[in-house]
């Protein structure tokens, strides 16, 4: 928005398209986007331009869009909750990424990766043994990769042992 565009707009603030100029804009949970926002997004994608709130000159939108959702957009289109024209505008290279519970081979790799990140951030370095890895694979992961990331961070902080076993995983999986 531009300075003075509305009460409290004391400085000019760049929006997401402007911030991402020349780069990539990630739109997470596009299936939850309200219809009026879908209309505005479609307009920007079709014209390649937008105008700031309170502005009067168009700004070129030079961004690549990556959109994600856990919802079936075709079902949303059928129920008139998602714009069909926006769907086809966004659906250039579809990538179907199954939930973590369907990708058991990825669980151990991701868990070790998240433990490495935690260690780089100053948390105690932990290792995952085979039993701990097997217990992670057996979990249903309703919270998907974010749940796994949070669990690994929690284990890095709370586990007293340097090696994370199945029993440690079990304790923290259901910790409330």
């Amino acid at each position: 928005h531009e300075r003075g565009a509305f009460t409290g707009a004391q400085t000019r603030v760049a929006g997401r398209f402007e911030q991402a100029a020349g780069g990539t804009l990630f739109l997470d949970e596009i299936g939850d986007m309200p219809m009026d926002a879908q209309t505005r997004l479609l307009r920007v994608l079709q014209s390649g331009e937008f105008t700031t709130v309170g502005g009067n000159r168009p700004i070129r939108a030079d961004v690549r869009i990556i959109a994600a959702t856990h919802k079936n957009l075709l079902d949303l289109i059928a129920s008139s909750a998602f714009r069909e024209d926006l769907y086809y505008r966004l659906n250039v290279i579809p990538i179907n990424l199954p939930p973590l519970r369907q990708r058991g081979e990825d669980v151990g790799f991701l868990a070790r990766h998240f433990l490495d990140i935690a260690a780089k951030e100053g948390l105690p370095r932990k290792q995952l043994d085979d039993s701990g890895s097997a217990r992670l694979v057996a979990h249903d992961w309703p919270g998907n990769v974010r749940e796994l990331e949070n669990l690994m961070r929690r284990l890095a902080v709370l586990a007293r042992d340097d090696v994370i076993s199945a029993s440690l995983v079990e304790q923290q999986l259901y910790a409330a």
Side-chain angles (χ1 to χ4, degrees):
H1 63 263
E2 300 294 327
R3 180 176 186 253
F6 51 85
T7 303
Q10 298 183 359
T11 61
R12 184 182 190 288
V13 177
R16 299 294 184 225
F17 274 92
E18 205 169 350
Q19 291 172 13
T24 302
L25 182 60
F26 177 60
L27 303 175
D28 198 9
E29 295 303 345
I30 192 90
D32 293 332
M33 182 179 277
M35 193 59 76
D36 63 324
Q38 291 178 39
T39 301
R40 291 191 309 269
L41 175 59
L42 180 62
R43 193 173 305 126
V44 173
L45 295 178
Q46 286 175 334
S47 70
E49 296 180 337
F50 61 93
T51 305
T52 60
V53 174
N56 55 14
R57 66 176 179 82
I59 299 172
R60 185 87 185 120
D62 177 24
V63 298
R64 172 183 33 249
I65 301 291
I66 297 176
T69 186
H70 71 283
K71 295 184 177 180
N72 184 320
L73 293 180
L74 295 175
D75 290 345
L76 292 176
I77 291 167
S79 66
S80 298
F82 197 84
R83 292 184 61 118
E84 185 175 20
D85 47 359
L86 178 58
Y87 171 80
Y88 288 112
R89 181 67 67 167
L90 292 171
N91 193 31
V92 177
I93 303 174
I95 300 171
N96 181 23
L97 185 60
L100 188 57
R101 71 182 147 275
Q102 294 176 10
R103 301 187 343 255
E105 67 278 1
D106 293 344
V107 173
F109 172 78
L110 287 168
R112 287 178 182 87
H113 172 72
F114 292 137
L115 288 173
D116 287 345
I117 289 173
K120 288 177 185 170
E121 292 175 352
L123 294 174
R125 179 162 295 281
K126 306 291 181 176
Q127 299 296 318
L128 187 63
D129 74 11
D130 290 341
S131 72
S133 186
R135 179 58 189 96
L136 292 172
V137 170
H139 186 61
D140 193 41
W141 300 110
N144 221 335
V145 176
R146 288 181 187 104
E147 180 185 4
L148 176 61
E149 181 178 16
N150 291 339
L151 175 64
M152 293 299 97
R153 179 171 290 282
R154 186 164 56 246
L155 284 163
V157 171
L158 298 177
R160 293 181 184 163
D161 299 332
D162 291 337
V163 177
I164 298 171
S165 65
S167 62
L168 288 171
V169 169
E170 187 72 24
Q171 286 172 0
Q172 291 304 316
L173 265 175
Y174 301 106

